[in-house]
Amino acid sequence: MKEIRTEDAVGHILCHDITQIIKDKKKGVLFKKGHIVQEEDIPALLSVGKEHLFVWEKREGILHENEGAQILYKICAGNNMHGTDVSEGKIEVIADCDGLLKIRRDALMRINSLGEMMIASRHGDFSVKKGDKIAGTRIIPLVIEKEKMDRAEAEAGNEPVFSILPFNAKKTGIVTTGSEVRKGLIKDTFTPVLRDKLAEYPGEVIGQTTPGDDRKQITEDILHFIEMGADMVICSGGMSVDPDDRTPGAIKDTGARIVTYGAPVLPGAMLLLAYYQNGEKTVPVLGLPGCVMYAKRTVFDLILPRLMADDPVKAEEIAALGEGGLCLSCSVCTFPNCGFGK
């Protein structure tokens, strides 16, 4: 750093905070460390007795923290998001629509491993709403070598670290299994829960059937909904390994590709996820265990946002849910602001 006349400081970076004191009115920071002095700042600086300032010398190949934050933002920002104005060397990334946040975790890890820079975000594969804060970016020191930021860009590659997949309006068919429901021996309390959860996303329920425990009929009902144009079919109940639970076999009989039967998540271990290929259209078919009916949050809450954004779910991603897959059933549920699914 160097000491220069205040009048000569335009374009230079302050090395320290400048405090302003007005008797009985104010004592606080007038300009923060890292501020780039502007022409209009000169009178204010002189008014607090600062005839000389300590500033960083601008050198070729050295970037200010604001410039570093802008490069990191450029690395991060994908579709459906924007950045805030740079403030104190930081830019925040904000969602422009409701949707599913996707993160290239390998790229995020590589950049944060470089040192002297950081990108902090919320968890990926969860819903965000328009206006939500997605991430914040900044470099750690006040200035940084340009070559380090060039390396960050190289590590990120050609694709942005973050993207938001908008939710799509989906037509959903519900197949409610169980002879006790079909015969009216018990009230169907499963479907209202499903309707409530689906109502959080765009779309409509196009119908419901109650085939009981007839495996063939369950299969026919699934295929009938797909023929009607359903974008997703949900089968509720009959998902255990008991001999009279026919739903897994019925889903398999449709010819759908089974991604998983079982998930390392509690509640929700007996989840079945499959995809039925109907021409060029891929239709998710789910078998949901009974816990979805009575537990506040389950595996269904972890999978549904991805299905609504047409984000294909892989078997290895289901397996990765094991760490964080235990819902603690807190007396006051704060999901998704908790560890469940993370």
Side-chain angles (χ1 to χ4, degrees), residues 79-84 92-99 101 122 127-135 164:
N79 58 312
N80 301 314
M81 62 189 72
H82 71 275
T84 62
E92 294 181 339
V93 187
I94 309 298
D96 286 337
C97 69
D98 295 358
L101 175 62
R122 61 171 62 206
S127 301
V128 294
K129 292 186 176 297
K130 182 178 180 179
D132 281 351
K133 186 190 303 182
I134 295 171
I164 296 176

Side-chain angles (χ1 to χ4, degrees), residues 201-264:
Y201 303 89
E204 61 176 323
V205 175
I206 61 173
Q208 177 188 7
T209 63
T210 54
D213 294 316
D214 186 329
R215 176 169 170 168
K216 181 179 178 182
Q217 188 61 54
I218 296 170
T219 300
E220 291 178 357
D221 287 357
I222 295 170
L223 294 174
H224 177 64
F225 276 129
I226 294 173
E227 290 171 4
M228 290 175 58
D231 302 300
M232 180 167 62
V233 180
I234 299 175
C235 302
S236 59
M239 289 304 302
S240 77
V241 293
D242 296 340
D244 59 346
D245 282 338
R246 311 291 171 77
T247 307
I251 294 175
K252 182 179 180 181
D253 290 346
T254 66
R257 175 177 61 85
I258 306 298
V259 175
T260 185
Y261 177 27

Side-chain angles (χ1 to χ4, degrees), residues 33-295:
K33 172 185 174 182
H35 175 72
I36 300 176
V37 179
Q38 307 297 317
E39 184 70 42
E40 58 267 26
D41 300 336
I42 302 303
L45 288 163
L46 293 173
S47 74
V48 295
K50 295 298 180 183
E51 296 184 353
H52 293 80
L53 300 172
F54 286 95
V55 297
W56 287 102
E57 295 186 71
K58 182 66 176 176
R59 289 182 291 157
E60 187 70 26
I62 300 296
L63 301 178
H64 178 252
E65 61 178 351
N66 289 355
E67 297 172 298
Q70 289 165 348
I71 292 172
L72 289 175
Y73 168 72
K74 177 184 174 184
I75 288 171
C76 287
N79 58 312
N80 301 314
M81 62 189 72
H82 71 275
T84 62
D85 292 335
V86 63
S87 175
E88 299 178 0
K90 179 177 66 177
I91 295 178
E92 294 181 339
V93 187
I94 309 298
D96 286 337
C97 69
D98 295 358
L100 180 77
L101 175 62
K102 297 298 294 182
I103 300 177
R104 291 175 53 227
R105 294 183 176 93
D106 56 341
L108 182 63
M109 182 68 173
R110 289 196 302 268
I111 295 165
N112 282 330
S113 297
L114 293 175
E116 297 193 296
M117 64 190 72
M118 56 78 66
I119 303 169
S121 78
R122 61 171 62 206
H123 283 277
D125 291 331
F126 278 82
S127 301
V128 294
K129 292 186 176 297
K130 182 178 180 179
D132 281 351
K133 186 190 303 182
I134 295 171
T137 72
R138 69 168 302 148
I139 63 168
I140 306 303
L142 185 60
V143 294
I144 193 169
E145 292 88 346
K146 181 180 181 298
E147 64 181 6
K148 292 184 178 178
M149 300 311 303
D150 291 342
R151 185 177 175 190
E153 290 182 301
E155 291 290 352
N158 297 324
E159 298 296 324
V161 175
F162 303 115
S163 59
I164 296 176
L165 304 180
F167 294 128
N168 298 307
K170 289 192 176 294
K171 298 176 181 179
T172 302
I174 298 176
V175 179
T176 304
T177 67
S179 59
E180 67 277 19
V181 176
R182 183 176 63 82
K183 294 177 180 179
L185 300 177
I186 65 170
K187 182 180 179 180
D188 175 17
T189 56
F190 211 140
T191 302
V193 172
L194 295 182
R195 288 181 179 272
D196 285 346
K197 291 185 181 293
L198 290 170
E200 298 177 10
Y201 303 89
E204 61 176 323
V205 175
I206 61 173
Q208 177 188 7
T209 63
T210 54
D213 294 316
D214 186 329
R215 176 169 170 168
K216 181 179 178 182
Q217 188 61 54
I218 296 170
T219 300
E220 291 178 357
D221 287 357
I222 295 170
L223 294 174
H224 177 64
F225 276 129
I226 294 173
E227 290 171 4
M228 290 175 58
D231 302 300
M232 180 167 62
V233 180
I234 299 175
C235 302
S236 59
M239 289 304 302
S240 77
V241 293
D242 296 340
D244 59 346
D245 282 338
R246 311 291 171 77
T247 307
I251 294 175
K252 182 179 180 181
D253 290 346
T254 66
R257 175 177 61 85
I258 306 298
V259 175
T260 185
Y261 177 27
V265 178
L266 292 173
M270 304 307 293
L271 168 78
L272 189 151
L273 172 63
Y275 286 102
Y276 183 91
Q277 199 64 38
N278 184 26
E280 295 183 358
K281 183 177 180 180
T282 302
V283 181
V285 181
L286 285 86
L288 296 182
C291 62
V292 176
M293 176 173 49
Y294 59 81

